[in-house]
Amino acid sequence: MPFRESHIRSALAVLCLLLSLQGWAEVAVVVSRDTPVDNMPTSQLQNIFLGRTSYLPGKLRAVPLDQTEGNEVRDAFYRDLLGQSPAQVKAHWSKILFTGRGRPPRQVAGDEEVKRLIADTPGMIGYIDAASLDGSVKALELTP
Amino acid sequence: MPPDQPLEPTGSQPRHGIQRLAEPHVLFPALALIITLLLWGGAYSLVEVERNNADASARTLTRDLTETYEAQVVRVLRDIRRDFQVMQFTSELHGSDATLAVLEDRGLLPPGFLFTVSILGPSGELLASTRPDPSAIDYRTRLPGALHSDELQVAHSVPDPQTGEWELTFAQRLDAADGNFAGVAVITVDAAFLVAAYETAKMGEQGSMGLVGTDGKIRVRRTGNQVDAGEEINYQRLVPDPNIVDTNVRLAVSPIDGIERYIGARQLYDFPLVVFVTLSRAEQLAPTEARVNTYLWRTAAANALVLLIVALLWRMSHKLAVSRRHELQARISHARQIEYLAYHDGLTGLPNRSLFSKLLGQSIAQAHRHHRQLAVLFLDLDHFKQINDTLGHDAGDQLLCEVATRLKGCLRESDTVARLGGDEFIVVMPEVSDAKYTRTVARKIISAVASPYILAGEAFRVTASIGIATYPEDGLDEQTLTKNADTAMYKAKEEGKNNFQLYSDKLRSESLDRLNLESSLRHALELDQFELYYQAKRDVNTGEVTGMEALLRWRHPDLGLIAPMRFMAIAEETGLIIPIGKWVLESVCRQSAQWREQGISRVGVSVNLSGRQFFDPALPGDLTRILQQTGVDAASLELEINEAILMRDPPRSLTALTALKDVGVKIAIDNFGVGYSSLALLRQLPLDAIKIDRSFMRDLSDAAGHKPLAEAIVAMGHTLGLTVVAQGVESEEQVVFLRDHDCNEVQGFYFNNPIPAEEVAAMLKGLATGQH
């Protein structure tokens, strides 16, 4: 069936193009290179970024680093990895902050700033567009 | 009783009330009412307790939430004030233009996703801002006070021009190092942040929390997930007393959305704001109301069940009462039926013998009390047996029923007809004015019974015989009246049937002789019921007692003293005269011997012989033996024989007299003059005396023609050499006549009545002393 095979390939190609146009960025979770962690469960990532825990695997102090709002990578990170809309995240941190049970992560603008801060701070954890990955930081493998 | 005096309750009324309570139609409704009241009373108080508890806990919750919220808001506002202080400090060091950059670099700005920070110049121009769109806003229009005001300013909430979300603006004057006005620091905060403490779990969808300025303008208000701002409310009403320490919770209807709420509010210290928390009453009390609903449903169900049970019990009790009543009625009717059967004839339905006897007894008592007469009619059908035999019992029964109906038709309401059994009926007429009426009724009955009957398709005639007895003439008691009516009925049968007879004296004496005397006479000797009376004979000239005639009397236990003429015929017929006569002879001789021994009298005694006795061949022998046994001289015993007996069979009489004469006793002819004695025979007979019949004495007084006859008899006796005795002498005139005509002796009531043996001695002594 060579005719059909070629059709399927074309369809997949069109789909990939559409996804990239919609800004479906691939998000990478990053830590400093000397952080002794290579992977972590997605649930722990969620807990760290929603303020429920402040530790990385191996009892290392975790310092989450957020990006500023209106950022595609940020929206993708919360939507894909934390399952939260921007409004939900805002409401979540509003409540924690208002009731005095914690402070939201520091926000910085852009992948480069994230990489700059993380590279020098062991335990700091953030996220960037996968395309921005370079040797300055280490991407963590997320396990289910 | 005076009208103003209250009527006293009678003693029986309270008891009556209690008794009424025990009646089912009062008891069961009362029970149902009481149980229902208890159930609903209990449910109501439980509901009250639940609601009060819910109200109290809602108020407590409102107060707690209000106070917590106050603390949180105060902390946030102090953070903002601290931010302003940091900005003042930084602007003094680095100038107001560089402040934001320095702070951002140091991470000292409040979180950007909720807060924006701006710096305005002294004239209000924007110098720096963290806003993404700083040019879109002119803060000079937002701020309520002057730019150089020393106070912390809290602007009215406005929507973010980009996102449309409410934001709240705070502003604080910045001073230069020399103290001059350097500009204004502005911090905006997402209004939703200030109500982030809202928890749907605790406050529901209709609770609310928020901030109000002391100007009455709502800065932010959240209800459920809805955030609003800008409404005006009455600050005075919300916080009546700002200085109060405790949070006052009140219940009021919200002017904004019309929902009734618990409202807690507190004026903040040091800030021109009021915090408030409200809880919807309906929401807070919903679980309680649901429970209350459950209670009420359960109560209703329990009540329905109880009512059902009570109703069932009532019904059962009613059924029981009804069945008891039926049972009682059945028992009563059964008893009545039994009583009816006991007192009524099964065939005709007429009263039976028992009832009749009772009714007659009552009627007699009434007649006695009112001195009235009553009549008893005893009715027997003639030849009923023949009808029964030829037509069968069914026809006979039919006939009896028809007769019963006709009898009733002949009588008055007050009369009673009863069936005694068989073809015997009896009627009692309790009010009878005279015998004529009774006869009329009897005739009416006879003609009614005599009308033809249709039995088994054929016409028959039946007649009736009726006997009538009347109270009080024919009997004083029920048994006598019935028996006498029966006797009269037999008389009617004898008279040819189909007629009625009245019970009379004649019937009475006849029946007495027939029924009573014969049987009791048989036992009279054994029972020693005979007695002897003695009547003296006297010499007509001297008045001396010449002899005593023994007279037999029967002392009957019921009838009293009976003279021989009433029972002598029966004694003769039955042959009882022989032993009786023997007893008389023995008794007289023994008495005579006794008198002699006592020296009272030496007079002779005389005894009457009956015909049968006289002709008894054993008499002379018996007589001899008796005389020997008693030691009485034969010459002092005189035997009197009725003239009629002697003349019945003269040759036999001669033989018998001769045999007696041989014994040595004297012989007298009794009742002489009424028989047909031939003088020839008289001459042959060995006689001693004649006793002239009493009928001659009676005739002496009235008809002159009788006197010569008496004279002739006396003369004839003398001619024959006999003693002449006159019987039945009752007057002086008779005595004079007899004395004039040489009659020897006299006997009668004029001189002496018959007297018992024991009185004889006294009588003789009286004569001897000349008392007579």
Side-chain angles (χ1 to χ4, degrees), chain A residues 1 11 16 24 28 33 35 37 47 52-53 57 62-63 65 67 74 84 87 90 113 115-117 120 125 133 140-141:
Chain A
M1 300 281 184
C16 288
W24 286 70
R33 293 183 63 84
T35 301
V37 176
N47 288 339
R52 292 174 192 146
T53 183
V63 182
L65 187 64
Q67 296 213 26
R74 185 177 189 269
Q84 301 270 322
K90 189 175 177 182
E113 188 65 11
K115 285 191 284 186
R116 191 181 63 78
L117 284 170
D120 297 336
I125 180 168
L133 270 177
L140 285 181
E141 192 191 336

Side-chain angles (χ1 to χ4, degrees), chain A residues 69 74 89-91 93-101 103-107, chain B residues 69 72-73 75-76 105 111-115 165 190 193-194 196-199:
Chain A
E69 289 155 298
R74 185 177 189 269
V89 175
K90 189 175 177 182
W93 281 114
S94 289
K95 189 161 189 170
I96 288 177
L97 186 63
F98 186 80
T99 55
R101 290 200 291 269
R103 285 185 72 86
R106 182 178 166 192
Q107 288 178 315
Chain B
Y69 184 50
Q72 290 164 340
V73 169
R75 188 170 46 71
V76 167
D105 192 48
F113 73 102
L114 294 172
F115 295 88
E165 289 170 358
D190 189 341
F193 171 68
L194 293 171
Y198 192 98
E199 277 184 274

Side-chain angles (χ1 to χ4, degrees), chain A residues 19-36:
Chain A
L19 283 172
S20 63
L21 282 175
Q22 285 287 316
W24 286 70
E26 185 85 6
V27 177
V29 177
V30 293
V31 292
S32 67
R33 293 183 63 84
D34 50 359
T35 301

Side-chain angles (χ1 to χ4, degrees), chain B residues 102 238 265 281 288 333 351 476:
Chain B
V102 171
L238 189 63
R281 183 172 187 269
T288 304
S333 72
L476 295 174

